[in-house]
Amino acid sequence: MAEARAAVNTLRVGTLSLEQVSSAAKFRGIQVHGIDGGLLVVIPSWKFLLRQLVTRMRYVWQHFQTLCWPAPVWGVLGTIMMFMMIVQYSENDSWYKTNQVAHFLWTMDENLIGFLSLSDFFPRNLRILYISCYTALGCVLFLSLLNRLFIRLLLQYRGWMYERKPSLATAVWGGIMRTFFLGQGKNALMYSFQNAMPRLAVPSLKETMAKYLRSVEP
């Protein structure tokens, strides 16, 4: 037994010892390494895997909140569920199931599950549910993107920086900003406004070098 334990302790994966590989697994999750004669798989404890899963789910949830902003997440989920029920229980000849977008999505889904040979596992009602689900989600995210683009366009205005007394254009701009921008920041996350911020103008390399040379002149 002592000889077997000593052999395991001297096992190395590349430049790492087995103890170092096990320690890395505690921070990065499951590790798979190639060694002489096979593979070495190091699996952390179930408590660590559960904690890592919860952390990942929280990370995905926060990103979903950021994508849905300024709409609340529960409002988005409620809208999606309501749209799914409307489509599911509507008549077969209703607009929800006969418009061009619905026909296109249905055709794409038929081609996909036909290619994967999954037609027997996806009944018609289930397909209607998940197609209407990602259609509603796409529409909500598209509206959120339009909101961000509108805010970015508003932030391009710089007239207020050069006025001693606010002009009519600045007053209108301020009112719109107060309504569409500042009013949405009450329940915002840290990065909710990140995609709405206009990009800073980066000077060219030639201009930067010219300024640097002027600054180092004696």
Side-chain angles (χ1 to χ4, degrees), residues 134-182:
Y134 66 68
T135 302
L137 178 61
C139 292
V140 171
L141 296 182
F142 177 73
L143 293 176
S144 178
L145 176 62
L146 287 181
N147 179 76
R148 285 173 168 81
L149 291 177
F150 182 62
I151 293 176
R152 178 175 290 189
L153 289 176
L154 288 175
L155 291 176
Q156 299 293 334
Y157 178 71
R158 297 289 188 271
W160 59 272
M161 300 175 62
Y162 311 104
E163 296 176 350
R164 294 185 177 180
K165 182 178 180 181
S167 62
L168 179 60
T170 301
V172 173
W173 173 82
I176 296 176
M177 286 295 299
R178 189 177 296 110
T179 303
F180 289 94
F181 187 68
L182 300 179

Side-chain angles (χ1 to χ4, degrees), residues 46-72:
W46 67 270
K47 292 183 179 180
F48 172 81
L49 294 176
L50 180 61
R51 186 166 62 250
Q52 191 178 46
L53 176 62
V54 172
T55 302
R56 293 292 182 181
M57 292 178 62
R58 186 182 296 115
Y59 178 79
V60 172
W61 177 255
Q62 290 177 349
H63 273 265
F64 183 68
Q65 284 182 295
T66 302
L67 285 174
C68 294
W69 177 87

Side-chain angles (χ1 to χ4, degrees), residues 4-28:
R5 183 173 301 173
V8 170
N9 289 335
T10 58
L11 178 64
R12 302 189 67 82
V13 181
T15 60
L16 301 177
S17 65
L18 183 60
E19 183 179 357
Q20 291 173 322
V21 173
S22 301
S23 300
K26 295 179 181 179
F27 297 100
R28 294 194 292 253

Side-chain angles (χ1 to χ4, degrees), residues 87-179:
V87 175
Q88 178 68 29
Y89 293 105
S90 61
E91 300 293 335
N92 292 331
D93 58 348
S94 65
W95 180 84
Y96 295 104
K97 297 180 180 179
T98 58
N99 63 79
Q100 294 182 353
V101 176
H103 179 72
F104 172 77
L105 293 176
W106 187 264
T107 303
M108 292 292 293
D109 184 70
E110 281 187 340
N111 295 334
L112 178 62
I113 65 175
F115 176 76
L116 299 176
S117 301
L118 298 175
S119 302
D120 297 334
F121 301 98
F122 289 89
R124 185 173 185 274
N125 290 335
L126 178 60
R127 293 172 60 192
I128 293 175
L129 281 177
Y130 68 71
I131 290 175
S132 59
C133 176
Y134 66 68
T135 302
L137 178 61
C139 292
V140 171
L141 296 182
F142 177 73
L143 293 176
S144 178
L145 176 62
L146 287 181
N147 179 76
R148 285 173 168 81
L149 291 177
F150 182 62
I151 293 176
R152 178 175 290 189
L153 289 176
L154 288 175
L155 291 176
Q156 299 293 334
Y157 178 71
R158 297 289 188 271
W160 59 272
M161 300 175 62
Y162 311 104
E163 296 176 350
R164 294 185 177 180
K165 182 178 180 181
S167 62
L168 179 60
T170 301
V172 173
W173 173 82
I176 296 176
M177 286 295 299
R178 189 177 296 110
T179 303

